[in-house]
Amino acid sequence: MNNKQFTKFAIYAIAVLCAALIKEFVIKYVKEYIHEEGYLLVAIDMLLVILIFAPAFALVSKYTKKLSKVYLKTSKKVSSSKNGNLLGFVVAIIILFILFAYLRHNINVIQDLKTMFP
């Protein structure tokens, strides 16, 4: 995979993961204030996705793609080698992994690392 293809893949991957995290954060916030259970909660969740996220997804993906491009360009400038994109992508994936673990799975990676390496 050449550098241009890798950069395109990295931008897309970071944008998709960021959009999923934003969606998860909003869903958790909404569930905090809606105290319904069962099928009504499912219907409310589906309605929220249609009314809020469908129109907003284009906007979110547009800005996350721009942010991803800026992030990867900055990582290229910071790293003096040709592997600046790879370094930036790896750092972004680590940060997104920590956020996914915390928001979607209630796992505190940083606390676990502190207990493993005192």
Side-chain angles (χ1 to χ4, degrees):
M1 181 181 294
N2 66 24
N3 197 26
K4 188 174 182 175
Q5 288 176 325
F6 178 77
T7 302
K8 199 173 188 179
F9 167 76
I11 290 168
Y12 182 74
I14 292 170
V16 168
L17 292 172
C18 287
L21 276 176
I22 292 168
K23 176 196 169 287
E24 188 68 29
F25 179 74
V26 172
I27 289 291
K28 278 191 174 192
Y29 182 78
V30 167
K31 284 183 180 179
E32 191 175 308
Y33 294 102
I34 297 176
H35 303 289
E36 297 294 331
E37 295 294 327
Y39 296 118
L40 186 57
L41 180 61
V42 173
I44 291 170
D45 190 17
M46 290 173 66
L47 185 64
L48 284 172
V49 169
I50 292 169
L51 293 177
I52 297 171
F53 297 117
F57 184 73
L59 181 67
V60 169
S61 68
K62 176 183 168 184
Y63 286 113
T64 54
K65 281 183 182 181
K66 283 184 180 182
L67 288 172
S68 299
K69 284 181 184 179
V70 169
Y71 176 78
L72 288 172
K73 283 182 182 179
T74 304
S75 66
K76 268 186 185 178
K77 289 178 185 177
V78 169
S79 177
S80 60
S81 69
K82 289 184 177 182
N83 293 329
N85 274 350
L86 181 61
L87 176 66
F89 181 65
V90 169
V91 170
I93 291 297
I94 290 170
I95 292 169
L96 288 169
F97 181 84
I98 292 169
L99 291 172
F100 261 80
Y102 184 73
L103 285 175
R104 296 185 74 158
H105 302 282
N106 295 323
I107 299 171
N108 192 339
V109 175
I110 296 172
Q111 186 64 36
D112 290 346
L113 288 173
K114 284 181 183 177
T115 58
M116 286 174 40
F117 305 105

